[in-house]
Amino acid sequence: MRKAETILNIIRERGQRNLPVKNVYRLLYQRDLYLRAYGKLCRNKGAMTEGVQLKQLMVCLWKRSIKS
């Protein structure tokens, strides 16, 4: 399993060369991508609805990723 940073670099490079990214749905199973995205969201004070707990958010995202 590749790390989130590696995956994002590959996507970035392919985008710069105007190449398609195939099988993107498989990335939904990468837990690290969810954690990295949350890390960017949590820095933005206005991004989280008041009353939402980190644990609730992570459980919801994790359940959604394993259902697919």
Side-chain angles (χ1 to χ4, degrees):
M1 186 180 305
R2 293 184 177 145
K3 292 187 177 183
E5 186 175 339
T6 305
I7 293 169
L8 294 173
N9 285 333
I10 291 169
I11 292 171
R12 187 178 301 112
E13 288 174 12
R14 292 187 69 82
Q16 289 173 348
R17 294 186 288 163
N18 293 324
L19 297 172
V21 179
K22 297 181 179 181
N23 299 323
V24 178
Y25 69 92
R26 292 182 181 180
L27 298 177
L28 295 175
Y29 296 101
Q30 296 287 335
R31 185 171 185 251
D32 291 343
L33 289 177
Y34 286 104
L35 294 174
R36 189 174 174 114
Y38 178 77
K40 287 189 171 204
L41 282 175
C42 73
R43 290 185 213 139
N44 181 358
K45 195 163 183 93
M48 295 296 290
T49 303
E50 196 172 314
V52 173
Q53 301 293 324
L54 171 61
K55 184 177 178 183
Q56 292 171 331
L57 178 64
M58 293 307 296
V59 168
C60 178
L61 290 173
W62 185 248
K63 283 181 180 179
R64 184 179 284 177
S65 71
I66 59 174
K67 272 187 179 179
S68 302

